[in-house]
Amino acid sequence: MLSIKQSKLSARAKVLKAMAHPSRLFIIEELEKGERCVCDLTEMIGADISTVSKHLSLLKQAGIVIDEKRGNQVFYRLRVPCIINFFGCVEKVLEL
Amino acid sequence: MLSIKQSKLSARAKVLKAMAHPSRLFIIEELEKGERCVCDLTEMIGADISTVSKHLSLLKQAGIVIDEKRGNQVFYRLRVPCIINFFGCVEKVLEL
DNA sequence: TATCTATTTGGCAATATAGCCAAATAGATA
DNA sequence: TATCTATTTGGCTATATTGCCAAATAGATA
């Protein structure tokens, strides 16, 4: 009852928390266009590769992205492709 | 160019961050039904009233809610009423 | 005015997050 | 095999967040 509601809210909060960082939002937007390797994302973001790797593993942990190793590169892509609609409401908050 | 993109991402991240907490998601869901005073929300959440008040001021700061004082109570309501749709995508992340 | 209720604010301790460097791991290639 | 590239992990420090208590503020009422 209350605890079911509570755990649902916690689960949602975790997803939002995982998204709530500029670099991670950038990654999500970039992955909307298609899969990207860590090195490409790192170059675009301009942070240390270890930092980007940790952002990616956090997104993976949250169920937002999945990874696939090919050769010595790891490619990430979105696990759920509905992020574009997702931001209509966030934008409304920012516009008013 | 890059900095415009960057500041847009930061703005979005702030909104998401403000939402990314179970109690604050509960508040948002509750306010979808209509305005609520701090004392009612506090009772429903079961935390200290100062804690709830801080959650509310954080949501206000983020532009998600607005407040109105009437008598000695303060009523909060959503500033943007599109939160219901907002979670379709989050749910997808959680379902798969 | 004194006091009661509702709310906010300040301050603190515990915990979580961010980002860097260095080291470890893994696949590719000389 | 030795080495190069790509990535992850461990560890550290700085900073941010959370939630409580106590105190301050403000309106309502005795």
Side-chain angles (χ1 to χ4, degrees):
Chain A
M1 335 300 175
L2 192 85
S3 61
I4 290 172
K5 176 132 192 164
Q6 175 62 31
S7 68
K8 190 168 191 172
L9 291 173
S10 293
R12 285 180 172 184
K14 271 181 198 130
V15 175
L16 291 176
K17 203 169 181 178
M19 299 175 67
H21 186 286
S23 296
R24 295 197 292 267
L25 287 180
F26 175 84
I27 289 168
I28 289 169
E29 282 204 343
E30 197 57 30
L31 297 188
E32 277 170 20
K33 302 173 196 161
E35 63 175 21
R36 297 284 186 272
C37 69
V38 182
C39 54
D40 286 347
L41 291 169
T42 297
E43 194 177 339
M44 292 184 259
I45 291 170
D48 194 274
I49 190 174
S50 68
T51 301
V52 175
S53 176
K54 281 178 182 175
H55 282 311
L56 286 165
S57 78
L58 196 153
L59 288 170
K60 183 184 169 186
Q61 170 87 16
I64 295 170
V65 303
I66 52 180
D67 63 338
E68 184 185 349
K69 183 155 199 169
R70 292 206 297 276
N72 59 354
Q73 292 181 305
V74 179
F75 290 86
Y76 282 85
R77 56 176 179 274
L78 292 182
R79 200 167 68 99
V80 171
C82 56
I83 313 289
I84 300 161
N85 312 326
F86 193 88
F87 282 104
C89 190
V90 177
E91 290 308 314
K92 279 225 175 63
V93 171
L94 294 172
E95 281 163 16
L96 299 183
Chain B
M1 335 308 174
L2 194 85
S3 61
I4 289 172
K5 176 134 194 163
Q6 176 61 32
S7 67
K8 190 169 191 172
L9 292 173
S10 292
R12 285 180 172 185
K14 270 181 198 132
V15 175
L16 291 177
K17 202 168 181 179
M19 297 174 69
H21 185 285
S23 296
R24 296 197 291 268
L25 286 181
F26 175 84
I27 290 169
I28 289 169
E29 282 204 342
E30 197 58 29
L31 297 187
E32 276 170 20
K33 303 174 198 162
E35 63 173 22
R36 297 283 186 272
C37 68
V38 182
C39 54
D40 285 348
L41 291 169
T42 297
E43 194 177 338
M44 292 185 261
I45 291 170
D48 194 274
I49 190 173
S50 69
T51 300
V52 174
S53 176
K54 280 177 182 173
H55 282 311
L56 286 165
S57 77
L58 196 154
L59 288 171
K60 183 183 168 186
Q61 170 87 17
I64 296 169
V65 303
I66 52 179
D67 62 337
E68 185 186 347
K69 184 157 199 170
R70 292 205 300 275
N72 57 354
Q73 291 181 308
V74 178
F75 290 87
Y76 282 82
R77 57 176 178 275
L78 293 182
R79 198 167 70 97
V80 170
C82 56
I83 313 289
I84 300 162
N85 312 328
F86 193 87
F87 282 104
C89 190
V90 178
E91 290 308 313
K92 279 224 176 63
V93 171
L94 294 172
E95 280 163 19
L96 299 184

